Amino acid sequence: MQISLYRYNPETDSEPYMQNIDLEIPDGQDLMVLDVLHLLKEKDAGITFRRSCREGVCGSDGVNMNGANGLACITPLSSIVKKDKLVLRPLPGLPVIRDLIVDMQPFYQQYEKIKPYLVNDTPAPSIERLQTIEEREKLDGLYECILCACCSSACPSFWWNPDKFVGPSGLIQAYRFLIDSRDTATEDRLANLDDPFSVFRCRGIMNCVTVCPKGLNPTRAIGHIRDMLLKRAI
Amino acid sequence: MVTSVTNLGKSGVSDWLLQRVTAVILAAYTVFIVGFLLLNPELTFTQWSGLFETTWVRIFSLLSLISLGAHAWVGLWTVSTDYIKPTGLRFLFQAVVVIGLFVYVVWGIQILWGA
Ligand code: SF4
Ligand code: SF4
Ligand code: FES
């Protein structure tokens, strides 16, 4: 298989370049892209990428594979390779540190902004704050986000305004806390989102939905936030 | 909360809502004018100017004109904040757009209520 790999080492390269590498894929096997990266690293130990769990739970190996963002560890070659060619690039829209490793700072800053923790100003109960089954169900499809950044880095609105638009990942998290029955800061949270950038830069292109490796739907969550903001304002 | 002073409304929701409402008004006005033209294939100047002499058509036209201004401002402001990164240039673009739209609206009022 022919691989075209994005290479950039700021200490030795003046600018990034694509390296072409031919790799023998063992017959009768459908490797994951992460396996391919490990095979490449055996050939050239300098090739740099992030990974940890290798089973789609930690969110550390988001990369751009033949143009689509996804987790290398759970993306089988058969699902993306066409004409025996695989192009591997870092997640778009984030500064590259080295090879496939990007600086996640702009992404985390947006996450931090939405206060990703429960805020409750009522006296703490002796054991725990209980939820009904229905209340708990509202968090399904939201809490599963692993912060891999595949969605935000596929979103044109996030590319143009990474410092102002919260992005699909931050917004799916924001909604997760907005509808949590145990959270009492709904009004503050909404007030912090009610500017022309944080939420309203979403144009509903749905790249985020297409790429999310956990099958989540940030666009729907964003729509719910917009409805909450509208109800609050009219 | 991101601070912004150059957008039209006072918040993201107001811009968003304004963009939708003005779009509906513009669509209705387009249907109205196109419909009128289709119903009057042999339109004369007297008919055409007579149409704009009716008060409600003038009000509807003015409403659409103002909607167009607001709609264009929200849209172009958004485009400028997406694509024009140098602050000075962005401000210049926004100023040109605002002045241009203002001129069009005033000019439109003059046409509608002029002789
Ligand atoms: S739907 Fe919104 S958040 Fe998702 S990719 Fe499109 S603009 Fe970005
Ligand atoms: S919403 Fe999906 S793509 Fe986005 S960060 Fe969470 S898990 Fe990753
Ligand atoms: S290595 Fe953990 S998600 Fe891929």
Side-chain angles (χ1 to χ4, degrees):
Chain A
M1 188 173 64
Q2 220 203 8
I3 291 161
S4 172
L5 180 66
Y6 182 101
R7 299 300 307 268
Y8 177 59
N9 178 350
E11 279 161 25
T12 53
D13 306 327
S14 58
E15 53 185 56
Y17 61 97
M18 298 303 291
Q19 181 183 17
N20 289 317
I21 310 167
D22 277 316
L23 188 75
E24 278 298 314
I25 301 293
D27 267 345
Q29 276 190 34
D30 192 8
L31 299 183
M32 296 293 175
V33 174
L34 184 63
D35 300 325
V36 170
L37 281 169
H38 280 293
L39 291 175
L40 292 174
K41 202 170 167 69
E42 275 169 26
K43 288 181 159 203
D44 174 354
I47 294 174
T48 314
F49 53 90
R50 284 195 187 106
R51 55 83 79 189
S52 178
C53 70
R54 57 102 189 98
E55 55 183 5
V57 260
C58 73
S60 58
D61 63 344
V63 282
N64 186 277
M65 302 162 284
N66 278 352
N69 291 353
L71 297 172
C73 61
I74 52 167
T75 305
L77 288 180
S78 59
S79 72
I80 43 150
V81 172
K82 291 194 186 75
K83 297 199 187 112
D84 219 30
K85 198 167 160 49
L86 176 61
V87 184
L88 293 172
R89 294 174 180 274
L91 291 177
L94 292 167
V96 176
I97 295 175
R98 179 169 166 164
D99 296 346
L100 298 180
I101 295 189
V102 291
D103 181 0
M104 301 276 279
Q105 199 59 24
F107 175 79
Y108 290 141
Q109 258 157 12
Q110 294 301 340
Y111 182 53
E112 193 183 355
K113 252 198 330 212
I114 61 105
K115 301 206 174 79
Y117 41 82
L118 278 180
V119 177
N120 193 314
D121 49 19
T122 60
S126 51
I127 303 181
E128 59 190 319
R129 295 187 198 278
L130 291 175
Q131 284 190 302
T132 64
I133 292 175
E134 292 75 29
E135 285 167 345
R136 171 58 189 78
E137 262 170 11
K138 290 189 180 158
L139 308 182
D140 288 343
L142 305 167
Y143 81 92
E144 299 93 329
C145 171
I146 54 172
L147 297 176
C148 65
C150 287
C151 57
S152 293
S153 64
C155 170
S157 284
F158 186 73
W159 296 340
W160 309 151
N161 287 294
D163 53 338
K164 298 196 180 93
F165 175 49
V166 172
S169 170
L171 288 171
I172 205 171
Q173 296 285 341
Y175 186 59
R176 180 244 169 278
F177 289 99
L178 279 169
I179 47 131
D180 194 309
S181 60
R182 297 161 298 179
D183 191 280
T184 55
T186 313
E187 174 54 32
D188 279 356
R189 293 180 185 279
L190 288 175
N192 278 327
L193 293 171
D194 187 18
D195 60 79
F197 286 95
S198 302
V199 175
F200 288 93
R201 270 309 138 118
C202 169
R203 309 275 161 70
I205 313 160
M206 293 174 84
N207 277 4
C208 50
V209 183
T210 315
V211 298
C212 178
K214 304 305 274 184
L216 308 181
N217 189 331
T219 313
R220 195 191 304 140
I222 294 169
H224 288 314
I225 299 181
R226 211 171 40 215
D227 289 348
M228 292 177 92
L229 285 168
L230 265 175
K231 276 206 192 93
R232 173 176 169 272
I234 294 178
Chain B
M1 181 85 152
V2 178
T3 344
S4 170
V5 292
T6 49
N7 61 307
L8 182 61
K10 58 182 188 334
S11 67
V13 201
S14 55
D15 278 10
W16 186 86
L17 194 62
L18 208 64
Q19 193 73 333
R20 266 77 202 162
V21 172
T22 52
V24 172
I25 295 173
L26 289 173
Y29 193 70
T30 311
V31 171
F32 167 65
I33 291 292
V34 171
F36 181 79
L37 291 176
L38 287 179
L39 290 177
N40 299 282
E42 263 134 61
L43 189 66
T44 62
F45 178 74
T46 344
Q47 270 176 309
W48 183 244
S49 67
L51 176 72
F52 286 94
E53 236 137 72
T54 1
T55 307
W56 76 267
V57 175
R58 283 187 179 174
I59 294 177
F60 193 13
S61 304
L62 181 62
L63 181 68
S64 305
L65 195 63
I66 295 171
S67 297
L68 184 71
H71 194 87
W73 174 238
V74 175
L76 290 172
W77 176 81
T78 307
V79 172
S80 76
T81 49
D82 267 357
Y83 296 107
I84 311 179
K85 291 303 165 191
T87 311
L89 206 62
R90 186 168 62 244
F91 187 69
L92 185 73
F93 174 86
Q94 293 174 352
V96 170
V97 170
V98 171
I99 294 170
L101 290 173
F102 180 76
V103 169
Y104 275 126
V105 171
V106 174
W107 192 7
I109 295 174
Q110 206 185 22
I111 294 172
L112 281 171
W113 268 274

